[in-house]
Amino acid sequence: MNTSENIPSASPYRRGADRGYILGLWFTAIFLSWIFSAQVPLLSLVAVALIAGTPFLIYKFLRKSCLADPGVQVSALWVEGISMVFCGSLICAVAVIVYFKWIDPGYMARQLQTLVDVYASTGDESLAEAARLSKAILDNNAVPPASTWTLAMWLFTVSSGSLLSGLMAVLVKARGLRSRIMNK
């Protein structure tokens, strides 16, 4: 089996895209854990564990690339990480749009209504403003469509993931440099 993981000279875009499907499944698991945590509270712990494990997963993939090609530059590792996150986010975005558009189109409106009910019941004036705004959104049928929520989640994931990939690329190279120095 001759995949790009076995070819050190493969493009970082290619390696990232090849590994992006795993990250996409990971991100989708985070999304689904978050969505269904209202019905199964234990899933909120699963979501937190998956979110906390994301840097380790990215690090693991970038470390494999560094071990396969010790001369790889930090910038190439970073590009690989960005490519992974970009492709993985696209996979998750498909799941998000399918869920919000066809499986449970009223999800966001119900969440806003819950926010209104909870904030209004607290009597806290600072939360009352958020409740009023949420109520106005519901009353005016101004809940953003599924595509808007999906785009916002996708942009957040790609932007934060690219920063995380940069950090992981630096850590991978720093660890590799340290181990080479200690082995001399």
Side-chain angles (χ1 to χ4, degrees):
M1 186 164 101
N2 196 11
T3 66
S4 65
E5 278 187 28
N6 301 329
I7 304 170
S9 62
S11 160
Y13 298 103
R14 173 68 190 259
R15 286 192 310 263
D18 286 347
R19 293 174 174 155
Y21 79 92
I22 295 171
L23 207 53
L25 295 175
W26 189 272
F27 291 155
T28 302
I30 291 171
F31 170 72
L32 293 174
S33 298
W34 167 66
I35 287 292
F36 293 113
S37 63
Q39 289 87 12
V40 182
L42 187 60
L43 285 178
S44 62
L45 295 176
V46 171
V48 169
L50 289 170
I51 291 167
T54 302
F56 298 103
L57 183 64
I58 292 173
Y59 179 89
K60 177 185 164 195
F61 285 139
L62 296 181
R63 179 94 172 125
K64 277 185 178 181
S65 294
C66 190
L67 292 173
D69 182 9
V72 68
Q73 298 291 321
V74 170
S75 58
L77 289 173
W78 191 6
V79 166
E80 180 180 339
I82 291 170
S83 179
M84 261 190 305
V85 170
F86 182 87
C87 293
S89 297
L90 284 177
I91 292 169
C92 184
V94 169
V96 170
I97 195 82
V98 165
Y99 186 83
F100 285 152
K101 194 164 183 82
W102 293 291
I103 295 174
D104 191 359
Y107 180 82
M108 286 301 176
R110 282 195 316 279
Q111 293 302 309
L112 282 172
Q113 187 58 54
T114 300
L115 185 124
V116 168
D117 296 342
V118 169
Y119 283 4
S121 68
T122 64
D124 186 349
E125 192 55 40
S126 63
L127 298 177
E129 181 61 24
R132 279 191 291 275
L133 287 172
S134 298
K135 180 97 171 96
I137 289 171
L138 289 169
D139 291 345
N140 294 322
N141 291 324
V143 177
S147 57
T148 302
W149 292 106
T150 303
L151 181 62
M153 291 173 120
W154 181 77
L155 288 172
F156 174 76
T157 305
V158 170
S159 60
S160 60
S162 67
L163 295 174
L164 181 62
S165 295
L167 177 62
M168 293 300 111
V170 169
L171 290 175
V172 163
K173 285 304 282 185
R175 183 170 180 218
L177 180 62
R178 189 180 71 209
S179 66
R180 279 187 294 230
I181 291 171
M182 295 179 94
N183 289 334
K184 286 186 178 183

